Amino acid sequence: MSLNVLLLTKQVPDFSEGMVKFKPDNTLDRASTPSTMNPNDKIAQRAALEAKVKYGATLRVMSMGPPEAEKTMREAMSMYADELYLLSDRLMRAADTLATAYTLSKAILKLGRIDLIFAGFKTQDGETGQTGPQTAWMLGIPLITHVVGYRLDTERRIIRAKRLVNGKIIEAVESPFPALLTIEAKPPYEPEYRSARERLVLKKLLAEGKRRASNVKDYLKVWSAAELDADLAKMGLDGSPTVVLKVEPIPQVKAERNCKILDGTNLEDLDQIARFIVDRLRTNKIL
Amino acid sequence: MPTIRDIWVYLEQEEGQLLEVSLEMLGEARRLIDDLNKRHNQDEKVVGVVLGHNVGTLCKEAIYHGVDVVYFADDPELEHFRLEPYTKIIGDIVRQRNEYKDYDKPRYFLFPATNNGRDISATVLAELESGLASDCNELYVVDGIKYKRPSEREIRTYGKVLAMKRPDFTGFEWSTIVCLGYSPEACSIIPGSFKPLSRDEARKGKIIEHKASLDEKYYRVKIQTREKLDTGIDLSKAKVIVSFGRGIRENPELGIKLSKELAQMLNGDVGVSRGAALAPYNVEPSVKAQYLTEARQIGETGQTVAPKLYLAIGISGAIQHKKGMDKSEIIISINTDPHAPISQYSDYLLKGDLFHGVPKLLEMIKKQKENVAS
C-alpha cells in the first residue's frame, strides 16, 4: 500500500544575524525583514524526506500564509516535494494557533488519506510550539512530539519512534498510522542513510527538487477558505481567541554595577585584568 | 453565557515529585486570585490537577503550597506522561460537575513551559477550544479591554482579563497576549519566573479523586522503553563561567575555541547566550552539538547561574541574559561597544575586538598563573 506523508511549514521573518530590521522604537520591523521557510521546518523536512527515500512515500508540503509564501514553497521544493499546497485567503489572516490548527486540519482532511504528518518543533516568529499538537488533536490522531528517529512497518501500518522527553529521557514509542510527529531541533534531526542505494536516491531527489524549484507553480495548488469544508468563523482573526495586546521593546537595563571601562587593545589594561582574575580565583581557591 | 470561575494549574510531576515550576505557578496563582477576590469582593479558588501513578501524597504537598482544591487521577497507565490520555482526562475533569464544581469553565489555566507542559497545554486548549499563550513570565489582570472581531457588529468590553506577558522573538521584544471571549484564558509559564509560597502544613484544601476510564483509543501511542540520557549540562554550580555571544559571528569556530580555552585555563565551564545558541553558524557538527546548544544557554529561558567569576565574551547583554547571570560575584565583559547593555551590569568592560583581546588575555593569565606558582 502506498505511503502518504505531509510536511507542515510556515513562512516566518528571517531573524538570522544581519537580516532582522528594527523600527526606531526598537520593536521588530516585520515589513522590512525578509521572509524565509521556518528553520525548524527545514529540519522536519529531512525527516519527511527520509520517508520518501526509505519507504517510497509520496511527500506533500502544506503551508498557510499570504500569496508571497510561494517563496517558502520554493524553498521546500528545493529539498524536494511531490506536491505543494498553500492555504491562502484574507479570511485566514492573523490566525492564532487554534485558528491555524483548525484551518490546517480541515485542509488535511481534503487531501484524503495521509499516513504521517511532520511538523517542526516550533516556528521562529511565534515560538509557541502549539500548532502541530493542536492540529493532531483536532484530527483526532496520535501525536508524537520531539521525535529524534523513527522506523516504519508499512505492512502493519505502524510507526516506531524515539522521542526526547524534557531533554533528558529517550522514550521509544509505537503508534498506528495515521500520526503526527513534531521533529526535535535540538540537536537537529539527522536521518541516517546507511546504504549506497539510499544515498543515491536522496541525491537524485535533491537534484530533482532543485530543478522543480524554478517552476514551482507547476506543482503548487492554492486553496482558499471556501474550498475547505470548514466553518469560516473558526478561521483567521474571527476564530482566534488570543489577541496581542501590546508589543514593547525590551527595556534598557539600569546600571547596577559601577562598570570600569578598560581598553582591550592596551597591554597594561589587559595585564591588570589578568592579575585581577588570577588573584580573585586564587583567593577563592579555584586556581 | 457559561459560568466561569477559579484559576486552574496543571501540576507537572516527575518520578513522584512535583516540579519546582508547579509550586512556582501555585504561588503566582494564589497571588493573582487573592488580589482578584479582594478587588471584586468574590471568593474564587486555586484548583490544581495532578496525574500519574501513586500521586496521592502530591496532593497534600500542593495544598501546603497554596492550592485550595486539587484533582488527581491515579493509574499505572498514567505513570509516565502520555499526551493523549492526559489531555482527555484533564478535559473530562474540567467539564465534570461535582460536590465542589458547579460552574462551566475555569477562568484561567496555567501550565509549565517544560517540553511536556507545552505539549499538553496545546492539546488541552485544542480540546477546550480556547486560547493559549506560551512561555510567559509575567501575569496581571486588567479590566475594560475593548475589542471587536471582524465579524462582530459592536465593540465589546472584557473584564478580569489575564494579561500574559512573554519575551518574544528570540528576546527582541515583550509581547502581552490576552484571550478575549473564550475560557479558560491559558498560558504556559517559564520555570523560575515566580516564587513559590513557603511550605505550610497548616494550609487546608480539598482533594478530589477522578476515576479515569478512557476509551482504548486514547492509549494508541504505547511506550516501549525509557532510557535516561546523561547529556545534561549543569552550569548552576560552576565557579567560573566563560560565555560567548553573537560577537563571535565573524569567526564562530575561533570564538568558541577561545572561550573554551579561557574556561579551561580558569577551571571553569562554557556558557552561551541565547542569540548565539540559536544562530545558524557554520561550524563543525560536533562543536555545534557541544557548544551551540540550548543546554548551555544562560538566561531567562536557559540556566540561571551565580559563579564567582563570569566572563561575557561578545555578549551585548539583553535583559533575558542578565536574568540568568546577574547574581555572579564578578562580571567582566569584552565588547567592541562600551555602551552595550552588558556594561550596565559588568564590573569591568574590556573595550575591543574579542579576537584580539582574548588571545592576549590568555597569554597574560598563563603568565600570571606561572608567576603565582613560582
Side-chain angles (χ1 to χ4, degrees), chain A residues 13 15-17 20 22 26-30 96-98 121-122 124-130 133-134 137-138 140-146 163-176 182 184 186-188 233-234 237-265 267-282 284 286-287, chain B residues 12 14 83-84 87-88 114-116 118-119 122-123 125-127 129-135 140 145 147 149-151 165-166 168-180 182 218 220-229 231 239-240 246 249 265-267 274 277-278 280-281 292 294 308-309 311 319-320 322 326-332 338 343-351 357 360-361 364-365 368-369 372:
Chain A
F15 290 148
S16 57
E17 199 67 48
V20 60
F22 294 92
N26 270 332
T27 55
L28 275 185
D29 185 352
R30 286 170 187 75
D96 74 358
T97 63
L98 194 77
F121 160 48
K122 60 183 179 185
Q124 191 171 250
D125 55 348
E127 291 202 301
T128 69
Q130 293 164 10
Q134 295 197 322
W137 194 259
M138 288 182 189
I141 66 174
L143 167 63
I144 310 172
T145 60
H146 295 280
R163 58 183 296 264
L164 188 59
V165 181
N166 279 351
K168 54 194 174 194
I169 290 166
I170 293 283
E171 194 175 77
V173 299
E174 187 181 292
S175 163
T182 69
E184 181 61 42
K186 290 282 174 180
K234 291 189 172 182
L237 212 47
D238 265 331
S240 297
T242 61
V243 175
V244 179
L245 188 65
K246 58 180 171 185
V247 176
E248 301 155 279
I250 299 290
Q252 285 290 315
V253 181
K254 282 198 202 79
E256 287 176 8
R257 295 182 192 227
N258 192 4
C259 182
K260 191 166 177 200
I261 310 277
L262 296 170
D263 182 354
T265 60
L267 293 183
E268 277 178 28
D269 282 8
L270 283 164
D271 190 52
Q272 187 193 332
I273 284 290
R275 281 172 198 275
F276 174 78
I277 289 174
V278 173
D279 285 352
R280 191 90 192 177
L281 297 190
R282 277 209 91 207
N284 283 293
I286 297 166
L287 284 182
Chain B
E12 186 173 358
E14 209 173 73
L83 259 173
E84 292 177 275
T87 304
K88 184 69 171 85
T114 55
N115 286 359
N116 288 341
R118 274 200 209 97
D119 287 347
T123 49
L125 270 295
E127 168 74 8
E129 293 192 62
S130 187
L132 171 65
S134 78
D135 300 270
Y140 55 93
I145 292 185
Y147 182 64
R149 290 198 164 79
S151 66
K165 203 167 166 178
R166 63 187 299 244
D168 222 342
F169 299 101
T170 320
F172 289 129
E173 294 176 350
W174 295 105
S175 299
T176 304
I177 313 289
V178 289
C179 171
L180 302 176
Y182 293 77
Y218 292 103
R220 288 173 296 194
V221 180
K222 299 206 159 40
I223 300 174
Q224 310 285 338
T225 58
R226 300 180 103 241
E227 200 181 309
K228 269 202 186 131
L229 277 181
T231 55
K239 296 271 200 313
V240 176
R246 284 191 277 201
R249 77 178 78 91
M265 187 167 285
L266 302 174
N267 292 335
R274 180 161 173 84
L278 298 177
Y281 294 139
L292 293 175
E294 278 173 303
K308 296 278 180 198
L309 174 66
L311 283 151
I319 192 166
Q320 277 81 359
K322 172 182 185 284
D326 66 349
K327 301 281 185 293
S328 306
E329 205 168 289
I330 294 290
I331 299 171
I332 299 174
S343 67
Q344 307 285 300
Y345 47 96
S346 295
D347 297 288
Y348 293 94
L349 184 142
L350 277 167
K351 176 181 177 294
K360 283 269 173 293
L361 197 58
M364 289 172 164
I365 291 173
Q368 278 302 319
K369 277 174 75 174
V372 171

Side-chain angles (χ1 to χ4, degrees), chain B residues 292-322:
Chain B
L292 293 175
T293 160
E294 278 173 303
R296 280 190 193 275
Q297 185 189 313
I298 310 277
E300 190 158 33
T301 53
Q303 302 198 37
T304 303
V305 299
K308 296 278 180 198
L309 174 66
Y310 189 93
L311 283 151
I313 311 292
I315 294 178
S316 62
I319 192 166
Q320 277 81 359
H321 188 74
K322 172 182 185 284

Side-chain angles (χ1 to χ4, degrees), chain A residues 188-209:
Chain A
Y189 186 98
E190 202 59 71
E192 261 186 66
Y193 295 116
R194 291 216 176 116
S195 76
R197 188 199 66 83
E198 286 174 355
R199 288 194 290 269
L200 188 64
V201 172
L202 177 69
K203 205 175 145 191
K204 282 186 175 165
L205 286 173
L206 291 174
E208 173 65 11

Side-chain angles (χ1 to χ4, degrees), chain A residues 54-67:
Chain A
K54 291 184 178 167
Y55 306 97
T58 300
L59 169 55
R60 295 179 174 90
V61 176
M62 181 181 280
S63 185
M64 185 180 98

